[in-house]
Amino acid sequence: MRMRFHYIFLAWIGLAGVAHAQDDAELPATFTSDRPGFANTTGIAAQGRLTTELGASVAFGDEPVGALPLLSMRFGIFHWLEARVRGPNAVGVFADAGERFGVDDPSVGFKVGGQLHETLAISSVWEVSVPLGTDGFGAPEAGWFADIQADWSFWGPLTLTPNAVANVVAAVDAATGETVRYFEGGGSLKLTWQMIDVLSVFVQSYAIASEVRDLNVSVGGGLMWMVAPNVQVDAQFNAGVTDQGEDPTAGIGTTILW
């Protein structure tokens, strides 16, 4: 799987370079957002501009978990390449035995992508987490993340977005106290309907499994509203449908192009 992602990534750099080499003219800033949804979108941050994303989420399980500000900063380097930093985020666990608060790990990376056809766009994100989180909320060492997704505008206002993801995660074994690494992979499928120019709604499904836990399947949906040409607000709700699925989770957020 890891070698396959490397081949996809190298091939995509070539495709993106060809797609944009034909037009070196200055393009107007294009608004893109990776919020909301299980997966990243295919949009690349506007060249020479900063896109910031903020939000908050609450998982309503036996031990409710809240997180904010879900910070993401994306800077467009070329029309087909962005640098990105995510986190760190404050996390709170509200258990009957007492509350716990901490900070999770930030991550750094990049996204490469572009428009292959008027109805087809593709991108890939590569990130490495930095083990700076507090005990119980951060990993003991750096982790690795990669994904690839495509947008297919197959009919008018409808867009279908398949996604595949692979992670290498580090955790401390509770029995031995040693750091263990494991692989997890999966994907998602998202259907977006642009109801009007400034309002879109979506439904999605997500499945992921790893070497240490069974298949986790979740479904959800939400909306995205452009309140200004450079500002989007969003809301979503997700819930697991398997024994290993995520707790019901609600989130809100905003994206701003500066």
Side-chain angles (χ1 to χ4, degrees), residues 82 147 172 203 240 252-254:
E82 72 175 48
D147 74 358
V172 175
V203 293
I252 58 172
T254 186

Side-chain angles (χ1 to χ4, degrees), residues 60-138:
F60 301 95
D62 294 335
E63 297 184 352
V65 179
L68 56 81
L70 306 183
L71 172 65
S72 177
M73 294 186 293
R74 304 163 52 217
F75 183 80
I77 300 173
F78 302 113
H79 296 308
W80 51 273
L81 176 66
E82 72 175 48
R84 49 199 286 132
V85 177
R86 294 192 300 113
N89 302 299
V91 182
V93 179
F94 302 92
D96 292 338
E99 296 82 7
R100 294 187 294 116
F101 299 95
V103 176
D104 64 9
D105 294 334
S107 64
V108 296
F110 62 90
K111 181 198 281 190
V112 57
Q115 197 82 22
L116 295 183
H117 184 267
E118 61 181 7
T119 62
L120 180 64
I122 190 170
S123 74
S124 182
V125 172
W126 293 70
E127 294 181 344
V128 174
S129 64
V130 184
L132 298 177
T134 55
D135 186 30
F137 294 92

Side-chain angles (χ1 to χ4, degrees), residues 14 35 41 80 93 95 125 158 165 175 183 235-236:
R35 291 189 52 89
T41 63
W80 51 273
V93 179
V125 172
L158 297 180
V165 60
F183 172 86
Q236 69 173 343

